[in-house]
Structure formats: C-alpha cells, structure tokens
Amino acid sequence: MSRLSDKVAIITGAGSGTGMGAAIARLFAREGARVVVTDVQARAAALAALAAELREAGAQAAPAVLDVTRESDWRAVVELALSAHGRIDILVNNAGSLGPQGGLEAIDSAELTRLLNVNVSSQFLGVTAVLPALERQGGGSIVNIGSIGSLVAFPNVNPGYAASKGAARMLSKALAVELARKKIRVNSVLPGFIATPMATNFTSDEALMQALAAAIPLGRPGQSEEIAHAALFLASDEAAYVTATELVVDGGYTAV
Ligand SMILES: NC(=O)c1ccc[n+]([C@@H]2O[C@H](COP(=O)([O-])OP(=O)(O)OC[C@H]3O[C@@H](n4cnc5c(N)ncnc54)[C@H](O)[C@@H]3O)[C@@H](O)[C@H]2O)c1
C-alpha cells in the first residue's frame, strides 16, 4: 500500500523545475496522493508541464496559480481542491524567497516586509485557508519547509531571510500546539544547503560556496528529493504522533 494512498495534497512553490516543491509533488504522487501543484503566474507553464508529467505517470494532478501572499488565491485553490477531490489532507507550505544577496545593506524595510509576507504570513494564510476543510474531516497534516537559517546565521544571507525563517519556525510550532486537539499536525522541515535554483542564485562567490560545502559533515549539498522524503514522512500517517517538531535535513551542518 502506498504511503499517501487517497490523500489530497496542496503543494506551494512547485514550479521551479528542480526545486523542492516539484520533488515533493513527484514523490507524493508516486505514493498515491492526488496533488494540486501551485506557484506564481510566472511559473504557470512549468506547473502545467509538471502536472502533465504526473498524470502521464498515472497520478491525479492539477496545476493552479497561487501567490501565497494573496488570500483570494488561497481561497480559489482550496475551492479547486475541494471541488475536484472533496477533501484536503495535506498542505505543504514550500514557496519561499531568499531575497537579495548580501547582508544588512542588501535590504530596506520594504524588502523586509516582502520577505516576511512570502516566508511567514503565507504560512498563516495557507493554514487558515485549509483549516475549515481539515476540521470537517477530523484532521490533516501541514508541512512547512523552513530553513536552517532559522537556527544559525550565514554570511551573505540578508537578515530579512533569517528573520522570516525564524518567525516561520515558531509560527509552525504555535499552530501545531493550537491545532493538536483538532488532530491537525503541523511540522517543519529545515533544509540545509540544497542544490536548487534558489541555492544557485544565492551567491556567485565560488570560494564562499566551496567553503560552505566543505563545512557540511556529509561533504556535499543535499538534493531536493532528500527534502521530499522528509516531507513525505511528516505528511504521512507514519508520523501520526509527530507534531510541532522540526526535521533538520542539512548533512550535519548545524551540528558542528
Ligand atoms: N535551496 C536551499 O538551499 C534552501 C535551504 C533552506 C530552505 N530552503 C527553502 O526551501 C523552500 C523551497 O526552495 P527551493 O530551494 O526549492 O527554491 P526554488 O527557488 O527552486 O523554489 C521556490 C519556489 O517558490 C516560489 N515562490 C516565490 N514566491 C512565491 C509567492 N509569493 N507565491 C507562490 N510561490 C512563490 C517560486 O516561484 C519558486 O518556484 C523555500 O521555502 C526555501 O526558503 C531552501
């Protein structure tokens, strides 16, 4: 039996090709989930291609444009999932933005607000949007893709990203405690350096990238699929007694 048989999952930020959202969608679909893959309008073509690929492989998959900072988009996607499948079991809040390269000088207050909206408020909007459906069904699982940037600071990462991921980590825990009695589990995956378009855009400084890779005990950046497997565990019934936790997937980086 597949690990997500008959479950319906909404996944945000799934349109970047080699990013974590697409990897999560592929793995969830392989494990029997019916998936709604979402991203911003600019990624609509990539989303449609991903959904077609999943359908060709035998899964049920639908693309939908969802800017995670827009409440009206959330409402539309929840309606789409409910009209197509009648239920929602899993929400993966994966969409995120790193913002500009550099330190304090790289951002102003408008950029800080944008990062907080994309990386934190989005989680709040997503959870509140799916909540009525999850309550009706008597439970569900929310997986938030955070960052080890919520645990430690990094050179060349603007402090707005760190602040937003730190806030998202605690929002996830607070929601988990609040929603536990409704049998809604809320957990985070905290990725380290993962080879995705976001990491490639992080810096053009080759020496900095090499120094960071050398500091990873497992000796390499992670792959999107390795984050997808962590998300799969937290989304599945195997994690029925797991809530308010953080699964750090960083090759050991934050342990040294
Ligand atoms: N790559 C890493 O090393 C790394 C490390 C730690 C955490 N993360 C986190 O993992 C998650 C996935 O990132 P990734 O590395 O796969 O990056 P990515 O750039 O490949 O994917 C991020 C996706 O989020 C989407 N997105 C951005 N703003 C959005 C918005 N307002 N509404 C909807 N979608 C939006 C983008 O269009 C993109 O498709 C992010 O939350 C990121 O912060 C990444």
Side-chain angles (χ1 to χ4, degrees), residues 16 20 39 43 66-68 94 146 161 165 191-192 194 196 198:
S16 79
M20 296 177 206
D39 209 307
R43 306 274 197 187
L66 165 64
D67 179 329
V68 292
N94 165 76
Y161 182 75
K165 288 295 186 179
I194 312 299
T196 71
M198 184 182 287

Side-chain angles (χ1 to χ4, degrees), residues 175-187:
L175 292 172
V177 170
E178 176 149 352
L179 299 176
R181 292 292 158 94
K182 296 177 174 168
K183 301 203 170 21
I184 298 168
R185 299 183 297 102
V186 187
N187 293 290

Side-chain angles (χ1 to χ4, degrees), residues 135-163:
E135 281 183 302
R136 267 198 310 277
Q137 292 158 208
S141 175
I142 291 159
V143 180
N144 296 313
I145 307 300
S147 170
I148 58 166
S150 65
L151 302 173
V152 292
F154 290 97
N156 211 54
V157 171
N158 72 73
Y161 182 75

Side-chain angles (χ1 to χ4, degrees), residues 19 21 30 34 50 52 76 88 92 101 108 110 120 155 158 169 180 194 216-217 232 242 246 248 250:
R30 227 166 44 231
R34 291 169 277 169
L50 175 64
I88 297 167
V92 182
Q101 286 183 28
D108 56 16
V120 192
N158 72 73
R169 185 167 75 87
I194 312 299
I216 300 170
L232 171 62
V242 181
E246 295 135 1
V248 176
D250 70 348

Side-chain angles (χ1 to χ4, degrees), residues 12-22 38-43 66-70 73 93-98 114 117-119 122 145-149 161 165 189-202 224 227:
T12 70
S16 79
T18 53
M20 296 177 206
T38 73
D39 209 307
V40 291
Q41 178 65 49
R43 306 274 197 187
L66 165 64
D67 179 329
V68 292
T69 65
R70 298 175 64 157
D73 283 8
N93 283 312
N94 165 76
S97 172
L98 183 60
R114 191 191 72 80
N117 280 335
V118 178
N119 294 336
S122 60
I145 307 300
S147 170
I148 58 166
Y161 182 75
K165 288 295 186 179
V189 178
L190 304 187
F193 297 101
I194 312 299
T196 71
M198 184 182 287
T200 314
N201 296 335
F202 156 60
S224 289
I227 301 304

